[in-house]
Amino acid sequence: MLDFNFYNPTQIVFGQNRLNELDQLIPQDAKVMIVYGGGSAKRFGTIAKVVEGLGKREVVEFGGVEANPQFETLVKATDLAKSEKVDFLLAVGGGSVMDGTKFIALAMHYEKDAQDILMHGFGGVPATKATDLGCVVTLPATGSESNMGAVITFNEQKYPVMSALTFPKFSFLDPDFTKTLPKEQVANGVADAFVHVVEQYITLPINAKVQDRMSEGILQTLLEVGPVTYNDNEDIEARKNFMWSATTALNGFIGVGVAHDWATHMIGHEMTASYGIAHGRTLAIILPYLLRERKDKKREKLLQYAERVWNLKEGTVDEKIDKAIDKTEEFFNSLDIVTNLTHYGIDDKGIDQIVGNMEKMGLTALSETQDLGLDIVKKILISAK
Ligand code: NZQ
Ligand code: ZN
């Protein structure tokens, strides 16, 4: 296992009907800005419950954060938060709203132009102050409710924004708020969480036994409860387990002391930026083809995945690995996610555009060994046609 520091200060408030506890988690004299998306949180009554939970506090609302949140929208939100002298931000939504709120928290105090926040990649934003924020999760998927990351869209490119100042102070995980999700968003969320785990697990064998077994547990949980949640809106126990899977997949815990391979995410981000395909869906399309292409590099962990996650005990090593990858793709297909590019209108020209954009973004040395270059990205995309 590699050396690591682990820090995650987010308090999780898990369970149904607990929004009255907002009162203890936000200072009494705070002026709160509620940030939400295209309207689902308003339409389905979640915002009204949040406002009630905030009691007598002064509240400002900013709605309209779009899926794949846009820089320009967030600058408007920042201007409002500053002019209203807001001192607490409350995100009510999915990953896009939570990420957008993290950006606002930083931008409210940033000395340089807000655009500079986007320019620091995974190295981290050199910010010294951020407004405190909390989350009420309506879409389990990204893990944004308990991590220090955000992804912001600017000029049709997706930029990672990392800052320890943006860990939410708390996040409410109430499965009831997710019951209004359209089915395809449940599928996207399951795929996103699944791939988050895979990218921290099917890498190099490092003998990190706790992280490996936790990863295997989350993957098996998603295989079990993902389809139940997808098909049955009323199974609250399955939904609770799905929700917690998504948070634990990217709250840092399984990722300490191990190698990471975020190549699927980097390719997926370009597919979202250029073609508007939902985030989780892009990952489900790419992952099986990436694993096939990188079979030799990932051989030991792929075999472990086959044996421990899929319980494949018969056959040669190659047979087990191939079967595990096929089953992974079938799992995504069982959630009605089509896993080929043609279906989404991406042809050879589109593949070249995706590869070209990745080059512009400097995404030229990916994977746990940094040897996945754009030639291999192109090969993966062609195989996914
Ligand atoms: O905007 P509204 O009207 O709220 O509708 C949203 C949106 O259209 C809808 N929705 C959310 N909760 C709902 C609901 N509809 C009905 N009932 C509910 N309870 O779902 C749609 C998608 O929402 P969005 O927040 O965009 O989805 P998701 O949670 O998948 O977030 C995706 C974003 O997160 C980023 C992605 O790049 C993308 O921008 N990511 C953030 C990460 C992080 N911070 O750690 C990591 C991820 O890998 C990812 O890159
Ligand atoms: Zn993701």
Side-chain angles (χ1 to χ4, degrees), residues 7-12 25 88-91 97-99 101-102 105 130-137 142-150 163-173 247 250-251:
Y7 173 71
N8 189 319
T10 302
Q11 178 172 170
I12 300 293
L25 293 168
F88 198 95
L89 298 168
L90 190 54
V97 170
M98 295 188 275
D99 285 8
T101 305
K102 290 175 179 179
T131 301
D132 286 349
L133 68 103
C135 303
V136 176
V137 183
T142 60
S144 184
E145 64 273 13
S146 183
N147 69 37
M148 56 181 257
S163 168
L165 298 171
T166 64
F167 271 109
K169 295 285 162 216
F170 58 78
S171 284
F172 282 77
L173 271 61
T247 302
L250 203 57
N251 69 354

mmCIF file of all heavy atoms in Angstrom, residues 7-12 25 88-91 97-99 101-102 105 130-137 142-150 163-173 247 250-251:
data_model
loop_
_atom_site.group_PDB
_atom_site.id
_atom_site.type_symbol
_atom_site.label_atom_id
_atom_site.label_comp_id
_atom_site.label_asym_id
_atom_site.label_seq_id
_atom_site.Cartn_x
_atom_site.Cartn_y
_atom_site.Cartn_z
ATOM 1 N N TYR A 7 -8.390 12.869 4.699
ATOM 2 C CA TYR A 7 -9.118 13.975 5.333
ATOM 3 C C TYR A 7 -10.483 14.061 4.693
ATOM 4 O O TYR A 7 -10.583 14.205 3.463
ATOM 5 C CB TYR A 7 -8.341 15.285 5.106
ATOM 6 C CG TYR A 7 -9.058 16.543 5.558
ATOM 7 C CD1 TYR A 7 -9.240 16.821 6.913
ATOM 8 C CD2 TYR A 7 -9.536 17.467 4.626
ATOM 9 C CE1 TYR A 7 -9.887 17.977 7.324
ATOM 10 C CE2 TYR A 7 -10.183 18.628 5.037
ATOM 11 C CZ TYR A 7 -10.354 18.875 6.375
ATOM 12 O OH TYR A 7 -10.988 20.022 6.790
ATOM 13 N N ASN A 8 -11.534 13.918 5.475
ATOM 14 C CA ASN A 8 -12.881 14.142 4.945
ATOM 15 C C ASN A 8 -13.778 14.652 6.070
ATOM 16 O O ASN A 8 -14.217 13.886 6.915
ATOM 17 C CB ASN A 8 -13.478 12.873 4.339
ATOM 18 C CG ASN A 8 -14.771 13.197 3.607
ATOM 19 O OD1 ASN A 8 -15.580 14.001 4.088
ATOM 20 N ND2 ASN A 8 -14.979 12.600 2.462
ATOM 21 N N PRO A 9 -13.994 15.959 6.097
ATOM 22 C CA PRO A 9 -14.719 16.563 7.211
ATOM 23 C C PRO A 9 -16.236 16.616 7.055
ATOM 24 O O PRO A 9 -16.919 17.144 7.927
ATOM 25 C CB PRO A 9 -14.164 17.994 7.214
ATOM 26 C CG PRO A 9 -13.903 18.265 5.757
ATOM 27 C CD PRO A 9 -13.509 16.957 5.129
ATOM 28 N N THR A 10 -16.793 16.069 5.959
ATOM 29 C CA THR A 10 -18.236 16.244 5.714
ATOM 30 C C THR A 10 -19.082 15.374 6.644
ATOM 31 O O THR A 10 -18.898 14.166 6.699
ATOM 32 C CB THR A 10 -18.585 15.902 4.243
ATOM 33 O OG1 THR A 10 -17.824 16.737 3.384
ATOM 34 C CG2 THR A 10 -20.077 16.110 3.975
ATOM 35 N N GLN A 11 -19.990 16.024 7.346
ATOM 36 C CA GLN A 11 -20.939 15.280 8.175
ATOM 37 C C GLN A 11 -22.070 14.754 7.284
ATOM 38 O O GLN A 11 -22.643 15.513 6.503
ATOM 39 C CB GLN A 11 -21.505 16.205 9.257
ATOM 40 C CG GLN A 11 -22.533 15.513 10.108
ATOM 41 C CD GLN A 11 -22.981 16.322 11.318
ATOM 42 O OE1 GLN A 11 -23.922 15.967 11.973
ATOM 43 N NE2 GLN A 11 -22.309 17.413 11.607
ATOM 44 N N ILE A 12 -22.370 13.465 7.409
ATOM 45 C CA ILE A 12 -23.455 12.886 6.613
ATOM 46 C C ILE A 12 -24.686 12.723 7.505
ATOM 47 O O ILE A 12 -24.606 12.127 8.581
ATOM 48 C CB ILE A 12 -23.043 11.510 6.043
ATOM 49 C CG1 ILE A 12 -21.802 11.620 5.138
ATOM 50 C CG2 ILE A 12 -24.216 10.861 5.292
ATOM 51 C CD1 ILE A 12 -22.001 12.373 3.840
ATOM 52 N N LEU A 25 -27.319 22.723 12.114
ATOM 53 C CA LEU A 25 -26.091 22.608 11.322
ATOM 54 C C LEU A 25 -25.640 23.922 10.687
ATOM 55 O O LEU A 25 -24.521 24.024 10.192
ATOM 56 C CB LEU A 25 -26.284 21.546 10.234
ATOM 57 C CG LEU A 25 -26.436 20.116 10.783
ATOM 58 C CD1 LEU A 25 -26.917 19.156 9.705
ATOM 59 C CD2 LEU A 25 -25.108 19.632 11.352
ATOM 60 N N PHE A 88 -23.874 31.544 3.882
ATOM 61 C CA PHE A 88 -23.908 30.082 3.816
ATOM 62 C C PHE A 88 -24.597 29.671 2.519
ATOM 63 O O PHE A 88 -25.634 30.235 2.151
ATOM 64 C CB PHE A 88 -24.649 29.485 5.022
ATOM 65 C CG PHE A 88 -24.351 28.029 5.222
ATOM 66 C CD1 PHE A 88 -23.353 27.629 6.107
ATOM 67 C CD2 PHE A 88 -25.023 27.047 4.495
ATOM 68 C CE1 PHE A 88 -23.040 26.278 6.278
ATOM 69 C CE2 PHE A 88 -24.713 25.695 4.652
ATOM 70 C CZ PHE A 88 -23.725 25.306 5.553
ATOM 71 N N LEU A 89 -24.030 28.675 1.820
ATOM 72 C CA LEU A 89 -24.606 28.199 0.557
ATOM 73 C C LEU A 89 -25.175 26.801 0.759
ATOM 74 O O LEU A 89 -24.506 25.938 1.340
ATOM 75 C CB LEU A 89 -23.519 28.139 -0.528
ATOM 76 C CG LEU A 89 -22.861 29.472 -0.894
ATOM 77 C CD1 LEU A 89 -21.609 29.235 -1.747
ATOM 78 C CD2 LEU A 89 -23.847 30.368 -1.658
ATOM 79 N N LEU A 90 -26.398 26.600 0.274
ATOM 80 C CA LEU A 90 -27.030 25.291 0.429
ATOM 81 C C LEU A 90 -27.426 24.763 -0.949
ATOM 82 O O LEU A 90 -28.323 25.302 -1.598
ATOM 83 C CB LEU A 90 -28.260 25.440 1.343
ATOM 84 C CG LEU A 90 -28.912 24.153 1.820
ATOM 85 C CD1 LEU A 90 -27.917 23.225 2.506
ATOM 86 C CD2 LEU A 90 -30.049 24.485 2.793
ATOM 87 N N ALA A 91 -26.728 23.715 -1.383
ATOM 88 C CA ALA A 91 -27.003 23.109 -2.700
ATOM 89 C C ALA A 91 -28.132 22.105 -2.550
ATOM 90 O O ALA A 91 -28.067 21.228 -1.692
ATOM 91 C CB ALA A 91 -25.748 22.410 -3.206
ATOM 92 N N VAL A 97 -25.488 20.723 -9.406
ATOM 93 C CA VAL A 97 -25.805 21.799 -8.457
ATOM 94 C C VAL A 97 -24.754 21.831 -7.339
ATOM 95 O O VAL A 97 -24.277 22.905 -6.946
ATOM 96 C CB VAL A 97 -27.232 21.599 -7.888
ATOM 97 C CG1 VAL A 97 -27.496 22.555 -6.738
ATOM 98 C CG2 VAL A 97 -28.260 21.795 -8.996
ATOM 99 N N MET A 98 -24.372 20.666 -6.849
ATOM 100 C CA MET A 98 -23.363 20.640 -5.769
ATOM 101 C C MET A 98 -22.028 21.191 -6.266
ATOM 102 O O MET A 98 -21.376 21.988 -5.592
ATOM 103 C CB MET A 98 -23.214 19.211 -5.238
ATOM 104 C CG MET A 98 -24.483 18.710 -4.561
ATOM 105 S SD MET A 98 -24.297 17.132 -3.718
ATOM 106 C CE MET A 98 -24.567 15.955 -5.053
ATOM 107 N N ASP A 99 -21.637 20.771 -7.484
ATOM 108 C CA ASP A 99 -20.375 21.277 -8.050
ATOM 109 C C ASP A 99 -20.450 22.785 -8.268
ATOM 110 O O ASP A 99 -19.509 23.520 -7.957
ATOM 111 C CB ASP A 99 -20.093 20.602 -9.407
ATOM 112 C CG ASP A 99 -19.616 19.169 -9.256
ATOM 113 O OD1 ASP A 99 -19.644 18.640 -8.128
ATOM 114 O OD2 ASP A 99 -19.208 18.571 -10.271
ATOM 115 N N THR A 101 -22.206 24.915 -6.723
ATOM 116 C CA THR A 101 -22.191 25.605 -5.430
ATOM 117 C C THR A 101 -20.762 25.682 -4.884
ATOM 118 O O THR A 101 -20.362 26.695 -4.292
ATOM 119 C CB THR A 101 -23.132 24.882 -4.448
ATOM 120 O OG1 THR A 101 -24.432 24.810 -5.058
ATOM 121 C CG2 THR A 101 -23.232 25.598 -3.116
ATOM 122 N N LYS A 102 -19.986 24.638 -5.117
ATOM 123 C CA LYS A 102 -18.578 24.679 -4.684
ATOM 124 C C LYS A 102 -17.836 25.806 -5.412
ATOM 125 O O LYS A 102 -17.042 26.532 -4.812
ATOM 126 C CB LYS A 102 -17.898 23.338 -4.969
ATOM 127 C CG LYS A 102 -18.399 22.206 -4.081
ATOM 128 C CD LYS A 102 -17.768 20.874 -4.486
ATOM 129 C CE LYS A 102 -18.244 19.748 -3.590
ATOM 130 N NZ LYS A 102 -17.669 18.438 -3.988
ATOM 131 N N ALA A 105 -18.796 29.110 -3.939
ATOM 132 C CA ALA A 105 -18.156 29.273 -2.625
ATOM 133 C C ALA A 105 -16.740 29.821 -2.772
ATOM 134 O O ALA A 105 -16.304 30.683 -1.999
ATOM 135 C CB ALA A 105 -18.138 27.928 -1.891
ATOM 136 N N ALA A 130 -13.264 30.176 1.327
ATOM 137 C CA ALA A 130 -14.493 29.809 0.611
ATOM 138 C C ALA A 130 -15.655 29.953 1.581
ATOM 139 O O ALA A 130 -15.479 29.775 2.790
ATOM 140 C CB ALA A 130 -14.411 28.378 0.105
ATOM 141 N N THR A 131 -16.806 30.268 1.029
ATOM 142 C CA THR A 131 -18.010 30.324 1.875
ATOM 143 C C THR A 131 -18.397 28.896 2.273
ATOM 144 O O THR A 131 -18.277 27.977 1.468
ATOM 145 C CB THR A 131 -19.161 30.988 1.084
ATOM 146 O OG1 THR A 131 -18.725 32.303 0.698
ATOM 147 C CG2 THR A 131 -20.427 31.107 1.917
ATOM 148 N N ASP A 132 -18.842 28.723 3.504
ATOM 149 C CA ASP A 132 -19.277 27.396 3.947
ATOM 150 C C ASP A 132 -20.474 26.936 3.120
ATOM 151 O O ASP A 132 -21.349 27.740 2.776
ATOM 152 C CB ASP A 132 -19.692 27.440 5.430
ATOM 153 C CG ASP A 132 -18.477 27.529 6.339
ATOM 154 O OD1 ASP A 132 -17.337 27.352 5.840
ATOM 155 O OD2 ASP A 132 -18.663 27.771 7.543
ATOM 156 N N LEU A 133 -20.513 25.624 2.838
ATOM 157 C CA LEU A 133 -21.645 25.101 2.076
ATOM 158 C C LEU A 133 -22.108 23.759 2.627
ATOM 159 O O LEU A 133 -21.358 23.042 3.275
ATOM 160 C CB LEU A 133 -21.279 24.970 0.589
ATOM 161 C CG LEU A 133 -20.245 23.926 0.170
ATOM 162 C CD1 LEU A 133 -20.935 22.710 -0.453
ATOM 163 C CD2 LEU A 133 -19.258 24.508 -0.821
ATOM 164 N N GLY A 134 -23.387 23.473 2.354
ATOM 165 C CA GLY A 134 -23.962 22.178 2.698
ATOM 166 C C GLY A 134 -24.762 21.678 1.501
ATOM 167 O O GLY A 134 -25.013 22.431 0.557
ATOM 168 N N CYS A 135 -25.157 20.401 1.530
ATOM 169 C CA CYS A 135 -25.886 19.822 0.391
ATOM 170 C C CYS A 135 -27.113 19.048 0.849
ATOM 171 O O CYS A 135 -27.099 18.404 1.896
ATOM 172 C CB CYS A 135 -25.011 18.839 -0.384
ATOM 173 S SG CYS A 135 -23.462 19.507 -1.003
ATOM 174 N N VAL A 136 -28.146 19.102 0.003
ATOM 175 C CA VAL A 136 -29.285 18.196 0.118
ATOM 176 C C VAL A 136 -29.306 17.442 -1.215
ATOM 177 O O VAL A 136 -29.573 18.030 -2.264
ATOM 178 C CB VAL A 136 -30.603 18.970 0.348
ATOM 179 C CG1 VAL A 136 -31.788 18.011 0.358
ATOM 180 C CG2 VAL A 136 -30.525 19.767 1.645
ATOM 181 N N VAL A 137 -28.979 16.157 -1.153
ATOM 182 C CA VAL A 137 -28.748 15.391 -2.383
ATOM 183 C C VAL A 137 -30.081 14.903 -2.973
ATOM 184 O O VAL A 137 -30.891 14.306 -2.270
ATOM 185 C CB VAL A 137 -27.854 14.165 -2.093
ATOM 186 C CG1 VAL A 137 -27.553 13.401 -3.388
ATOM 187 C CG2 VAL A 137 -26.563 14.585 -1.403
ATOM 188 N N THR A 142 -22.484 11.213 -8.150
ATOM 189 C CA THR A 142 -21.126 11.758 -8.302
ATOM 190 C C THR A 142 -20.262 11.639 -7.052
ATOM 191 O O THR A 142 -19.042 11.683 -7.143
ATOM 192 C CB THR A 142 -21.196 13.260 -8.640
ATOM 193 O OG1 THR A 142 -21.868 13.931 -7.555
ATOM 194 C CG2 THR A 142 -21.971 13.505 -9.917
ATOM 195 N N GLY A 143 -20.877 11.580 -5.880
ATOM 196 C CA GLY A 143 -20.107 11.636 -4.632
ATOM 197 C C GLY A 143 -19.720 13.061 -4.257
ATOM 198 O O GLY A 143 -19.076 13.303 -3.235
ATOM 199 N N SER A 144 -20.145 14.030 -5.068
ATOM 200 C CA SER A 144 -19.786 15.437 -4.813
ATOM 201 C C SER A 144 -20.206 15.887 -3.416
ATOM 202 O O SER A 144 -19.588 16.780 -2.831
ATOM 203 C CB SER A 144 -20.435 16.331 -5.876
ATOM 204 O OG SER A 144 -20.032 17.668 -5.717
ATOM 205 N N GLU A 145 -21.240 15.234 -2.856
ATOM 206 C CA GLU A 145 -21.741 15.611 -1.531
ATOM 207 C C GLU A 145 -20.724 15.367 -0.422
ATOM 208 O O GLU A 145 -20.890 15.840 0.696
ATOM 209 C CB GLU A 145 -23.037 14.838 -1.213
ATOM 210 C CG GLU A 145 -22.898 13.313 -1.108
ATOM 211 C CD GLU A 145 -23.025 12.591 -2.451
ATOM 212 O OE1 GLU A 145 -22.968 13.271 -3.492
ATOM 213 O OE2 GLU A 145 -23.164 11.355 -2.455
ATOM 214 N N SER A 146 -19.674 14.627 -0.715
ATOM 215 C CA SER A 146 -18.703 14.340 0.337
ATOM 216 C C SER A 146 -17.284 14.315 -0.212
ATOM 217 O O SER A 146 -16.458 13.515 0.226
ATOM 218 C CB SER A 146 -19.065 13.001 0.999
ATOM 219 O OG SER A 146 -18.203 12.717 2.051
ATOM 220 N N ASN A 147 -17.020 15.183 -1.190
ATOM 221 C CA ASN A 147 -15.632 15.293 -1.664
ATOM 222 C C ASN A 147 -15.298 16.752 -1.993
ATOM 223 O O ASN A 147 -16.133 17.636 -1.859
ATOM 224 C CB ASN A 147 -15.351 14.338 -2.839
ATOM 225 C CG ASN A 147 -16.068 14.726 -4.123
ATOM 226 O OD1 ASN A 147 -16.233 15.899 -4.457
ATOM 227 N ND2 ASN A 147 -16.507 13.718 -4.877
ATOM 228 N N MET A 148 -14.050 16.972 -2.396
ATOM 229 C CA MET A 148 -13.570 18.346 -2.598
ATOM 230 C C MET A 148 -13.486 18.698 -4.078
ATOM 231 O O MET A 148 -12.831 19.649 -4.452
ATOM 232 C CB MET A 148 -12.201 18.528 -1.953
ATOM 233 C CG MET A 148 -11.152 17.554 -2.444
ATOM 234 S SD MET A 148 -9.570 17.829 -1.619
ATOM 235 C CE MET A 148 -8.687 18.692 -2.897
ATOM 236 N N GLY A 149 -14.210 17.936 -4.913
ATOM 237 C CA GLY A 149 -14.101 18.167 -6.352
ATOM 238 C C GLY A 149 -15.341 18.799 -6.954
ATOM 239 O O GLY A 149 -16.442 18.704 -6.402
ATOM 240 N N ALA A 150 -15.144 19.436 -8.093
ATOM 241 C CA ALA A 150 -16.262 19.950 -8.891
ATOM 242 C C ALA A 150 -15.815 19.889 -10.348
ATOM 243 O O ALA A 150 -14.618 19.859 -10.632
ATOM 244 C CB ALA A 150 -16.589 21.389 -8.498
ATOM 245 N N SER A 163 -10.528 21.765 -4.394
ATOM 246 C CA SER A 163 -10.105 22.573 -3.250
ATOM 247 C C SER A 163 -10.661 21.973 -1.966
ATOM 248 O O SER A 163 -11.875 21.752 -1.854
ATOM 249 C CB SER A 163 -10.601 24.018 -3.385
ATOM 250 O OG SER A 163 -10.421 24.684 -2.144
ATOM 251 N N ALA A 164 -9.788 21.754 -1.002
ATOM 252 C CA ALA A 164 -10.229 21.205 0.293
ATOM 253 C C ALA A 164 -11.177 22.170 1.006
ATOM 254 O O ALA A 164 -11.902 21.771 1.917
ATOM 255 C CB ALA A 164 -9.028 20.888 1.173
ATOM 256 N N LEU A 165 -11.173 23.448 0.578
ATOM 257 C CA LEU A 165 -12.078 24.427 1.195
ATOM 258 C C LEU A 165 -13.536 24.154 0.810
ATOM 259 O O LEU A 165 -14.449 24.705 1.421
ATOM 260 C CB LEU A 165 -11.710 25.848 0.743
ATOM 261 C CG LEU A 165 -10.310 26.346 1.121
ATOM 262 C CD1 LEU A 165 -10.013 27.658 0.413
ATOM 263 C CD2 LEU A 165 -10.202 26.524 2.636
ATOM 264 N N THR A 166 -13.741 23.327 -0.211
ATOM 265 C CA THR A 166 -15.118 23.118 -0.693
ATOM 266 C C THR A 166 -15.728 21.782 -0.254
ATOM 267 O O THR A 166 -16.793 21.407 -0.745
ATOM 268 C CB THR A 166 -15.201 23.229 -2.229
ATOM 269 O OG1 THR A 166 -14.424 22.169 -2.810
ATOM 270 C CG2 THR A 166 -14.705 24.559 -2.729
ATOM 271 N N PHE A 167 -15.069 21.084 0.643
ATOM 272 C CA PHE A 167 -15.771 19.945 1.240
ATOM 273 C C PHE A 167 -17.055 20.482 1.856
ATOM 274 O O PHE A 167 -17.007 21.435 2.649
ATOM 275 C CB PHE A 167 -14.943 19.345 2.389
ATOM 276 C CG PHE A 167 -13.968 18.282 1.982
ATOM 277 C CD1 PHE A 167 -12.603 18.536 2.004
ATOM 278 C CD2 PHE A 167 -14.406 17.021 1.616
ATOM 279 C CE1 PHE A 167 -11.687 17.546 1.669
ATOM 280 C CE2 PHE A 167 -13.498 16.024 1.277
ATOM 281 C CZ PHE A 167 -12.135 16.281 1.305
ATOM 282 N N PRO A 168 -18.219 19.896 1.549
ATOM 283 C CA PRO A 168 -19.433 20.371 2.229
ATOM 284 C C PRO A 168 -19.296 20.173 3.743
ATOM 285 O O PRO A 168 -18.665 19.222 4.196
ATOM 286 C CB PRO A 168 -20.527 19.448 1.661
ATOM 287 C CG PRO A 168 -19.980 18.953 0.362
ATOM 288 C CD PRO A 168 -18.492 18.852 0.554
ATOM 289 N N LYS A 169 -19.883 21.099 4.501
ATOM 290 C CA LYS A 169 -19.890 20.957 5.969
ATOM 291 C C LYS A 169 -20.752 19.761 6.345
ATOM 292 O O LYS A 169 -20.488 19.070 7.307
ATOM 293 C CB LYS A 169 -20.474 22.210 6.650
ATOM 294 C CG LYS A 169 -19.660 23.450 6.448
ATOM 295 C CD LYS A 169 -18.404 23.407 7.311
ATOM 296 C CE LYS A 169 -17.406 24.400 6.772
ATOM 297 N NZ LYS A 169 -16.024 24.003 6.863
ATOM 298 N N PHE A 170 -21.848 19.601 5.581
ATOM 299 C CA PHE A 170 -22.745 18.469 5.836
ATOM 300 C C PHE A 170 -23.469 18.129 4.535
ATOM 301 O O PHE A 170 -23.544 18.969 3.621
ATOM 302 C CB PHE A 170 -23.788 18.814 6.922
ATOM 303 C CG PHE A 170 -24.634 20.010 6.569
ATOM 304 C CD1 PHE A 170 -25.694 19.903 5.667
ATOM 305 C CD2 PHE A 170 -24.354 21.263 7.112
ATOM 306 C CE1 PHE A 170 -26.465 21.013 5.325
ATOM 307 C CE2 PHE A 170 -25.117 22.377 6.759
ATOM 308 C CZ PHE A 170 -26.168 22.251 5.870
ATOM 309 N N SER A 171 -23.984 16.912 4.466
ATOM 310 C CA SER A 171 -24.856 16.549 3.343
ATOM 311 C C SER A 171 -25.996 15.687 3.842
ATOM 312 O O SER A 171 -25.774 14.727 4.583
ATOM 313 C CB SER A 171 -24.070 15.811 2.259
ATOM 314 O OG SER A 171 -23.291 16.718 1.514
ATOM 315 N N PHE A 172 -27.216 16.043 3.424
ATOM 316 C CA PHE A 172 -28.404 15.251 3.750
ATOM 317 C C PHE A 172 -28.611 14.215 2.653
ATOM 318 O O PHE A 172 -28.707 14.563 1.470
ATOM 319 C CB PHE A 172 -29.640 16.152 3.846
ATOM 320 C CG PHE A 172 -29.711 16.906 5.146
ATOM 321 C CD1 PHE A 172 -28.908 18.016 5.369
ATOM 322 C CD2 PHE A 172 -30.561 16.485 6.168
ATOM 323 C CE1 PHE A 172 -28.952 18.700 6.576
ATOM 324 C CE2 PHE A 172 -30.613 17.169 7.383
ATOM 325 C CZ PHE A 172 -29.801 18.275 7.588
ATOM 326 N N LEU A 173 -28.663 12.961 3.057
ATOM 327 C CA LEU A 173 -28.929 11.871 2.106
ATOM 328 C C LEU A 173 -30.260 11.236 2.481
ATOM 329 O O LEU A 173 -30.326 10.335 3.311
ATOM 330 C CB LEU A 173 -27.814 10.817 2.184
ATOM 331 C CG LEU A 173 -26.582 11.004 1.288
ATOM 332 C CD1 LEU A 173 -25.857 12.297 1.604
ATOM 333 C CD2 LEU A 173 -25.619 9.832 1.464
ATOM 334 N N THR A 247 -22.021 7.641 -2.509
ATOM 335 C CA THR A 247 -21.189 8.522 -1.675
ATOM 336 C C THR A 247 -19.846 7.857 -1.381
ATOM 337 O O THR A 247 -18.785 8.465 -1.544
ATOM 338 C CB THR A 247 -21.909 8.856 -0.353
ATOM 339 O OG1 THR A 247 -23.155 9.463 -0.663
ATOM 340 C CG2 THR A 247 -21.093 9.811 0.502
ATOM 341 N N LEU A 250 -16.886 7.766 -3.982
ATOM 342 C CA LEU A 250 -15.985 8.890 -4.284
ATOM 343 C C LEU A 250 -15.873 9.883 -3.119
ATOM 344 O O LEU A 250 -15.842 11.088 -3.312
ATOM 345 C CB LEU A 250 -16.424 9.609 -5.581
ATOM 346 C CG LEU A 250 -15.320 10.400 -6.296
ATOM 347 C CD1 LEU A 250 -14.114 9.547 -6.647
ATOM 348 C CD2 LEU A 250 -15.836 11.072 -7.548
ATOM 349 N N ASN A 251 -15.819 9.352 -1.904
ATOM 350 C CA ASN A 251 -15.553 10.254 -0.771
ATOM 351 C C ASN A 251 -14.102 10.128 -0.310
ATOM 352 O O ASN A 251 -13.735 10.624 0.743
ATOM 353 C CB ASN A 251 -16.517 9.975 0.402
ATOM 354 C CG ASN A 251 -16.252 8.638 1.062
ATOM 355 O OD1 ASN A 251 -15.437 7.853 0.592
ATOM 356 N ND2 ASN A 251 -16.940 8.376 2.157
#
